[in-house]
Amino acid sequence: GDGIVDVQDLIVLAEHLLPVFPAHWELDETEGSIAYDSAGDHDGTLNGNPFWQPSSGKVNGALQLDGMDDYISTPFILDTYKGSLSAFVWIKGGEPGQVIISQTNGTGWGGSWLCADSSNGSLATVLMNPQPALVSESVITDSAWHHIGLVWDKSYRYLYVDGAEVAKDVVSISYPMPCDGGLYL
């Protein structure tokens, strides 16, 4: 505003152009019961008996979950009805019907942000329940590494597998409820 480009101007520009990551779990720990958030203060708590694998994984380690009672729980991070979001994760294996990321209900509808469809193991989302599930044709339970994701822009849900958009729909909910629950990974 003063006609001179300086550090303050660059900070303002960066806040509008660069993505803001409210949370990022690298899952590269070697031991312990905490999955540290490298982008903020939303550390996750390990539940069940997950197994740290510091020399495995797609990028610098991994956390092996048994698919039954192992998960990471986090505190509240964001309200899906107030803003857009993107969530991406590397996965390998799994079974049809398993949930990858979900938001606990809290006082609103959470739903499964990312899951494997129960019929054939393809990527799906039920974010914005009671909206019908968005199901892709891309199977993600084939024991190969997949980079999967969900983007919600407050109008559309998009699903991605290995860098490609695999499904999209418009959300027609006209009575949104706030959601203040934490995440289950």
Side-chain angles (χ1 to χ4, degrees):
D2 60 7
I4 300 170
V5 176
D6 57 16
V7 172
Q8 288 306 113
D9 294 318
L10 294 175
I11 291 171
V12 170
L13 179 64
E15 288 173 351
H16 293 289
L17 294 180
L18 299 177
V20 175
F21 297 107
H24 179 227
W25 301 277
E26 295 180 9
L27 302 180
D28 60 357
E29 290 84 355
T30 58
E31 62 184 8
S33 61
I34 302 295
Y36 292 100
D37 175 7
S38 63
D41 60 355
H42 300 88
D43 295 340
T45 302
L46 276 59
N47 297 272
N49 281 320
F51 181 67
W52 290 113
Q53 297 186 320
S55 60
S56 297
K58 187 68 175 169
V59 181
N60 298 330
L63 183 63
Q64 182 178 353
L65 307 170
D66 67 11
M68 296 183 308
D69 62 354
D70 293 354
Y71 64 96
I72 300 168
S73 58
T74 75
F76 171 76
I77 297 172
L78 62 96
D79 185 340
T80 56
Y81 288 94
K82 289 186 178 177
S84 56
L85 71 90
S86 61
F88 285 82
V89 62
W90 282 102
I91 64 162
K92 181 179 181 183
E95 298 291 329
Q98 288 181 325
V99 176
I100 299 156
I101 302 175
S102 65
Q103 187 169 18
T104 59
N105 285 338
T107 59
W109 303 305
S112 296
W113 291 13
L114 291 168
C115 58
D117 183 60
S118 60
S119 63
N120 66 356
S122 60
L123 181 62
T125 185
V126 292
L127 174 72
M128 306 319 257
N129 182 20
Q131 177 83 11
L134 173 61
V135 181
S136 75
E137 294 182 12
S138 299
V139 174
I140 58 169
T141 56
D142 60 1
S143 297
W145 280 105
H146 292 288
H147 190 236
I148 62 168
L150 163 71
V151 172
W152 159 243
D153 68 5
K154 299 194 294 186
S155 295
Y156 291 89
R157 298 181 296 184
Y158 304 83
L159 291 175
Y160 294 87
V161 175
D162 300 326
E165 181 183 305
V166 295
K168 171 185 171 182
D169 70 353
V170 65
V171 174
S172 59
I173 295 174
S174 59
Y175 48 93
M177 286 181 63
C179 190
D180 60 0
L183 295 180
Y184 287 158
L185 313 172

